[in-house]
């Protein structure tokens, strides 16, 4: 019985996250309430509070469902057994762009983070989460570039910190443009083309071939 109760709690937790994702996407952060989320999932406001202390905690859990897998993939780029972290970075980025095009959930959540920031305390919380996420991604890109430098794959004189920031900006720009006009942009093709142009400016000939 305890095992069944635990499973029921897990399912309720996931249903609340699903409902929160939809509400945040449709109404924005400031206009979404815990009561709205509970009603969307078919639960009371008290049930929401049983799983989450506040809307901020709920929002963070919604974002973490898609953020953590991507960060984990980036973390693997500096594995000591890898011989081409730049090519691996390109592969991870290409897969992430493909996932974004095919996954409504991922589009919803990135849309919440990048496009649905209303005024108020919720906006500040999202901005804090965004800054933290950006820092984690840039750190992993920096580590991948540093590993490439150790392997002799970077051009002489490349500023690794600046290069990592530029790569990150290209990624963000491609994603932001796609979220604004998804029907007018082939994200995988244009995003990877832009990334390739930037990476080739930093790496030696043949590294991406």
């Amino acid at each position: 019985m305890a095992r069944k109760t635990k499973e029921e709690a897990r399912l309720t937790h996931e249903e609340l996250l699903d409902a929160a994702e939809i509400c945040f996407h449709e109404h924005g952060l400031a206009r979404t309430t815990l009561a709205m989320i509970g009603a969307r999932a078919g639960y009371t406001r008290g049930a929401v509070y049983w799983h989450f202390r506040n809307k901020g905690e709920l929002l963070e859990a919604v974002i973490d469902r898609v953020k953590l897998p991507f960060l984990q993939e980036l973390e693997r780029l500096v594995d000591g057994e890898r011989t081409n972290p730049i090519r691996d970075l390109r592969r991870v980025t290409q897969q992430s762009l493909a996932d974004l095009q095919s996954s409504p959930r991922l589009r919803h959540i990135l849309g919440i983070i990048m496009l649905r920031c209303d005024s108020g305390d919720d906006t500040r919380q999202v901005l804090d989460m965004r800054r933290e996420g950006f820092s984690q991604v840039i750190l992993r890109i920096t580590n991948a570039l540093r590993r490439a430098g150790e392997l002799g794959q970077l051009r002489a004189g490349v500023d690794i910190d600046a290069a990592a920031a530029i790569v990150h900006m290209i990624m963000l720009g491609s994603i932001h443009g796609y979220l604004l006009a998804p029907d007018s942009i082939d994200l995988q093709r244009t995003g990877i083309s832009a990334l390739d142009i930037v990476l080739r400016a930093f790496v030696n000939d043949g590294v991406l071939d």
Side-chain angles (χ1 to χ4, degrees):
M1 182 64 68
R3 184 175 301 171
K4 182 178 179 180
T5 301
K6 183 177 180 180
E7 176 64 14
E8 289 174 345
R10 186 192 68 79
L11 290 175
T12 300
H13 186 273
E14 290 300 311
E15 288 170 349
L16 289 172
L17 290 180
D18 290 342
E21 174 191 319
I22 294 171
C23 289
F24 289 145
H25 176 72
E26 291 182 350
H27 306 292
L29 300 176
R31 290 186 293 275
T32 296
T33 66
L34 292 181
M36 289 169 58
I37 293 170
R40 184 81 183 224
Y43 297 103
T44 65
R45 187 167 178 264
V48 181
Y49 273 115
W50 194 85
H51 287 268
F52 302 97
R53 290 175 296 180
N54 50 52
K55 187 165 62 172
E57 186 176 282
L58 183 51
L59 173 63
E60 187 170 0
V62 167
I63 293 173
D64 276 346
R65 287 206 292 185
V66 298
K67 181 182 70 175
L68 294 180
F70 175 64
L71 291 177
Q72 289 166 355
E73 283 298 312
L74 285 180
E75 187 67 36
R76 296 189 183 101
L77 298 184
V78 293
D79 187 303
E81 297 182 359
R82 292 186 179 276
T83 59
N84 196 321
I86 299 299
R87 192 181 298 159
D88 291 338
L89 173 62
R90 185 187 188 277
R91 174 187 54 77
V92 169
T93 303
Q94 187 171 34
Q95 183 59 55
S96 297
L97 297 181
D99 291 344
L100 178 56
Q101 279 195 296
S102 64
S103 171
R105 164 168 290 168
L106 188 53
R107 289 196 299 275
H108 283 174
I109 294 175
L110 287 179
I112 292 166
I113 297 170
M114 301 180 75
L115 304 177
R116 299 293 285 165
C117 286
D118 313 289
S119 60
D121 292 339
D122 297 318
T123 298
R124 287 191 290 272
Q125 183 164 11
V126 170
L127 290 175
D128 288 341
M129 291 181 187
R130 188 190 301 179
R131 292 188 189 100
E132 174 62 22
F134 287 0
S135 296
Q136 292 183 45
V137 172
I138 291 175
L139 175 61
R140 285 160 173 79
I141 296 173
T142 301
N143 289 339
L145 290 171
R146 185 168 291 116
R147 172 64 176 160
E150 294 170 354
L151 294 170
Q153 296 171 351
L154 296 186
R155 296 185 186 277
V158 168
D159 183 326
I160 290 177
D161 290 333
I166 292 170
V167 169
H168 188 233
M169 289 171 64
I170 290 297
M171 292 179 178
L172 285 180
S174 298
I175 292 170
H176 190 267
Y178 174 73
L179 291 174
L180 286 173
D183 295 331
S184 64
I185 296 176
D186 184 335
L187 180 60
Q188 291 185 67
R189 182 172 63 83
T190 58
I192 287 299
S193 294
L195 181 62
D196 283 347
I197 291 171
V198 171
L199 288 177
R200 290 186 189 282
F202 300 137
V203 304
N204 292 323
D205 294 341
V207 172
L208 277 176
D209 299 334

